[in-house]
Amino acid sequence: MPGDAAAAAETSSGGAGDLARLSLNTATTKGWTLREAVEGAARAGLPAVGLWRDRVAEAGLEESARIVREAGLRVSSLCRGGFLTAADDAGIDAALQDNRAAIIEAATLGTSELVFVVGGLPAASTFGGAALPYPADRAADGEASTSSEAGRAVVPGADPARDLVASRQRVADRIGELVPVAQEHGVRIVLEPLHPMFAADRAVISTLGQALDLAAPFPAETVGVVVDTYHVWWDPELERQITRAGAEGRIAGYQTCDFLLPFAADPLLSRGHVGDGYVDFATITRWVTAAGYTGDVEVEIFNQTIWDTPGDQTLATMAARHRTHVLPHL
Amino acid sequence: MPGDAAAAAETSSGGAGDLARLSLNTATTKGWTLREAVEGAARAGLPAVGLWRDRVAEAGLEESARIVREAGLRVSSLCRGGFLTAADDAGIDAALQDNRAAIIEAATLGTSELVFVVGGLPAASTFGGAALPYPADRAADGEASTSSEAGRAVVPGADPARDLVASRQRVADRIGELVPVAQEHGVRIVLEPLHPMFAADRAVISTLGQALDLAAPFPAETVGVVVDTYHVWWDPELERQITRAGAEGRIAGYQTCDFLLPFAADPLLSRGHVGDGYVDFATITRWVTAAGYTGDVEVEIFNQTIWDTPGDQTLATMAARHRTHVLPHL
């Protein structure tokens, strides 16, 4: 596009000032190791990276912290904790243990922001997979049906594994249990509402308002929210809830990513570079700015075409689109 | 599934009583003409059909009304009016003209309920298609950029064709213009919130609460809402908004359809028979019932596998699933 060429020319002229808040999430440059992503971000003049735990694990926790520190970058966030919807004791214990580890990893990496994707319905056995059969049919296969929630009336004929209300209550319960751990380590649990198309299998938090309601019982420095444009752009309550999040001091991150159609075969990969899809970045960025957010703007894109592109080129496009569509509104 | 066999056996034993509120939407049996769908529904013991305008047009309006009447069925709804988001005069005029025609068709067919899918962003040229380029690039192609909205501050650098807030305001304006026409013909404009995955290209109304806010200025007998489980099951506000819709007397329809994963190549076709996906029908049906809804339960499924299945078999499955998952909660 013509606008891109001009913006790309700007990129090469350098000037760190206008990229002073742009952060590369390692998921965007999937082919790069943590070290390659950190070095690539530094080369492009970015001051920050958002890290995924798999890349950190590959490089080693202490080594990852050292790589980022020595490159002179900061860590804008760590992805991801969460997956808190298990209803059975073993699943609950495993979730708590994994999230305690993630909290310590975030603290070690020097970021206060640990992004939580809270998990889907127990009826989902895999990401993007078909729903499990109903209890009667599970029982017929010799599998025990999910136990009902204590203290809540159970609807006759309802399947606990499809019970969104109960799944969300378990998320609230687990957050309450993890808050003291997060406080101890100076880490914030950052709730990420995911697009409702992922409500079944990935996250039973679908709106910013819902995330803020879940955060409400806890201090703002311990439970926050992240605004990922891909997930929330459609929400008729968006302006109001961004304003609320700002007033409550809970905006822990702003992630820019466009919403593409047609959907990729795996809709999770229908994320695109800012400017390639339907999101109104000017308006949403102004809402986030008006709400008082002054932190990093992280670009996290899952997209096979972008993953097949050399990382430096991806970073150049990222910077160009940031300058065109986001920076004027920050 | 074992439960199905038992339910199917029930179907063959007949008894119209338990199907007294079940309606076949003609989109579910796509291979059938209107006459075939009406006769099939009657054979299966259903008292009602929901009609799409394309099937009505094929058969002729008066003839369609006669076919339904002579089969002794009622029309639970007509699909669909809407597509109200055009920003240019020609688009606005075309939308008003088409919806005036749809209102008259509904009245002629003897249904008061005309379902509206309100339309997507002007940036969407086709259903499910890529976003149009930004104005600078459209202008470079010799195309005029979309004019800004009167009376609303325009964000510099924003693209009016991606402006959700303005698109929603145009929907509100068009509804206001159509209300007198609907009143004149005794027809209700039924706003359908669509799943947020369709916010870009099909409907800028994404939640029941938003639909009710849009309906609020008008009488309940002229502007209502439909609860389609596929579109709204994920909404954390669902119970509250169903209760509100009932209290306001605006529930004009209840459509049961399951949410399937993995997504079909066209996600619009990821709708499934009740019981095959993730929706908690027991809970949602109880909310709808508690809200005072006593009307038809319409089954509208877009799904290639179901379209490839003989219509009578589809109707038998529909009835079986209705008895298992919905009827106990009505």
Side-chain angles (χ1 to χ4, degrees), chain A residues 1-4 121 123-134 136-137 140 152 155-159 162-165 168 195-201 204 206-207 210 213 233-237 239 258-259 261-265 267 274-283 286-287 324-325 328-329, chain B residues 1-4 121 123-134 136-137 140 152 155-159 162-165 168 195-201 204 206-207 210 213 233-237 239 258-259 261-265 267 274-283 286-287 324-325 328-329:
Chain A
M1 301 195 297
D4 262 15
L121 291 170
S125 53
T126 59
F127 291 149
L132 295 175
Y134 272 74
D137 304 308
R152 187 160 169 270
V155 173
D159 176 13
R162 285 169 169 80
D163 187 337
L164 261 180
V165 177
R168 287 165 175 159
H195 193 288
M197 78 174 94
F198 305 118
D201 59 333
V204 295
S206 302
T207 66
Q210 183 193 6
D213 288 346
W233 71 274
W234 57 271
D235 184 355
E237 291 284 305
E239 179 177 15
D258 219 330
F259 180 90
L261 290 179
F263 285 111
V274 165
D276 283 345
Y278 286 94
V279 172
D280 180 355
F281 287 99
T283 298
R286 284 178 179 244
W287 290 341
T324 304
H325 294 289
H329 313 290
Chain B
M1 302 196 296
D4 263 18
L121 291 170
S125 52
T126 58
F127 291 150
L132 295 175
Y134 272 74
D137 304 307
R152 185 159 169 271
V155 173
D159 175 13
R162 285 167 169 79
D163 187 337
L164 261 179
V165 178
R168 288 164 174 159
H195 193 287
M197 78 175 95
F198 305 118
D201 59 332
V204 295
S206 302
T207 67
Q210 184 193 4
D213 288 347
W233 70 275
W234 57 271
D235 185 355
E237 292 283 304
E239 179 178 15
D258 219 330
F259 181 89
L261 291 179
F263 285 112
V274 165
D276 282 345
Y278 286 94
V279 173
D280 181 356
F281 288 99
T283 299
R286 283 178 181 245
W287 291 341
T324 303
H325 295 288
H329 313 289

Side-chain angles (χ1 to χ4, degrees), chain A residues 34-263:
Chain A
L34 183 135
R35 178 183 291 279
E36 289 169 334
V38 167
E39 291 175 352
R43 254 194 323 274
L46 270 58
V49 284
L51 302 180
W52 272 63
R53 292 175 68 199
D54 55 352
R55 284 281 169 275
V56 171
E58 284 166 9
L61 178 58
E62 298 292 344
E63 177 67 5
S64 296
R66 203 176 60 75
I67 290 170
V68 177
R69 198 169 52 239
E70 290 184 359
L73 302 190
R74 61 179 174 265
V75 179
S76 49
S77 75
L78 178 65
C79 294
R80 57 192 186 184
F83 297 97
L84 304 171
T85 53
D88 60 300
D89 289 343
I92 291 171
D93 287 348
L96 290 175
Q97 187 174 329
D98 184 58
N99 281 292
R100 284 191 201 102
I103 287 168
I104 291 168
E105 288 167 32
T108 306
L109 292 164
T111 180
S112 54
E113 314 300 346
L114 175 62
V115 175
F116 269 51
V117 171
V118 299
L121 291 170
S125 53
T126 59
F127 291 149
L132 295 175
Y134 272 74
D137 304 308
R138 289 207 297 276
D141 296 338
E143 188 190 327
S145 63
T146 309
S147 62
S148 62
E149 300 299 301
R152 187 160 169 270
V154 174
V155 173
D159 176 13
R162 285 169 169 80
D163 187 337
L164 261 180
V165 177
S167 296
R168 287 165 175 159
Q169 183 56 52
R170 290 194 296 275
V171 170
D173 294 345
R174 296 296 89 72
I175 292 170
E177 290 158 3
L178 288 167
V179 156
V181 186
Q183 284 177 319
E184 182 190 338
H185 293 277
V187 167
R188 174 148 66 177
I189 294 168
V190 179
L191 302 177
E192 177 160 20
L194 255 55
H195 193 288
M197 78 174 94
F198 305 118
D201 59 333
R202 283 187 172 88
V204 295
I205 298 184
S206 302
T207 66
L208 196 56
Q210 183 193 6
L212 288 167
D213 288 346
L214 278 162
F218 309 106
E221 64 271 20
T222 309
V223 185
V225 297
V226 57
V227 178
D228 179 325
T229 52
Y230 179 84
H231 291 303
V232 301
W233 71 274
W234 57 271
D235 184 355
E237 291 284 305
L238 190 57
E239 179 177 15
R240 195 165 76 83
Q241 298 299 339
I242 287 175
T243 303
R244 172 186 169 199
E248 295 180 2
R250 293 193 197 268
I251 306 183
Y254 179 43
Q255 296 184 330
T256 53
C257 171
D258 219 330
F259 180 90
L260 304 188
L261 290 179
F263 285 111

